[in-house]
């Protein structure tokens, strides 16, 4: 039950923060690039790489801390469903270039951010 509560708390905090970032940044870039969603997803990739890298490295994070931060916070902070919805919106608006750019940038930067987070944890 304690582990469920940790995931719940981390997810709630991550979701609220995602909402604030998305609301702040998506207002300026709607219709061609959803910067808020992009930022939370890339930052979430960096954080989860760092968090999981630390948890694998040794005694840096307990199982409960990893659940709170990786599963809870990063799970609530990042959003695949919004990412997919925004891609659909760009496609239906006929924005093929923006769709392709956003899709590729998100995938490439996301994987690079996870790798960088893992590297940072290894260096810590």
């Amino acid at each position: 039950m304690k582990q469920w509560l940790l995931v719940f708390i981390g997810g709630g905090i991550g979701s609220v923060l995602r909402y604030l970032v998305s609301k702040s940044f998506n207002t300026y870039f709607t219709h061609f690039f959803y910067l808020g969603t992009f930022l939370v997803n890339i930052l979430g990739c960096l954080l989860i790489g760092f968090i999981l890298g630390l948890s694998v490295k040794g005694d840096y994070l307990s199982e409960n801390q990893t659940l709170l931060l990786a599963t809870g916070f990063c799970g609530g902070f990042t959003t695949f469903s919004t990412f997919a919805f925004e891609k659909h919106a760009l496609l239906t608006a006929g924005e093929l270039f923006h769709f392709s750019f956003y899709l590729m940038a998100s995938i490439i930067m996301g994987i690079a951010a996870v790798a960088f987070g893992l590297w940072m944890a290894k260096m810590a």
Side-chain angles (χ1 to χ4, degrees), residues 51-123:
I51 292 162
L52 294 178
L54 285 180
S55 77
V56 168
K57 187 175 180 179
D59 294 333
Y60 289 96
L61 295 174
S62 70
E63 181 182 345
N64 286 338
Q65 290 170 319
T66 302
L67 279 173
L68 173 74
L69 297 171
T71 306
F73 179 80
C74 289
F77 185 59
T78 61
T79 173
F80 187 76
S81 57
T82 300
F83 172 78
F85 174 78
E86 291 167 352
K87 298 309 147 295
H88 180 266
L90 289 171
L91 275 178
T92 57
E95 297 286 346
L96 188 56
F97 173 78
H98 294 122
F99 164 82
S100 300
F101 178 77
Y102 186 16
L103 179 68
M104 294 308 297
S106 295
I107 292 169
I108 292 167
M109 292 295 296
I111 293 169
V114 167
F116 186 63
L118 290 166
W119 177 82
M120 288 184 347
K122 186 177 180 180
M123 294 296 122

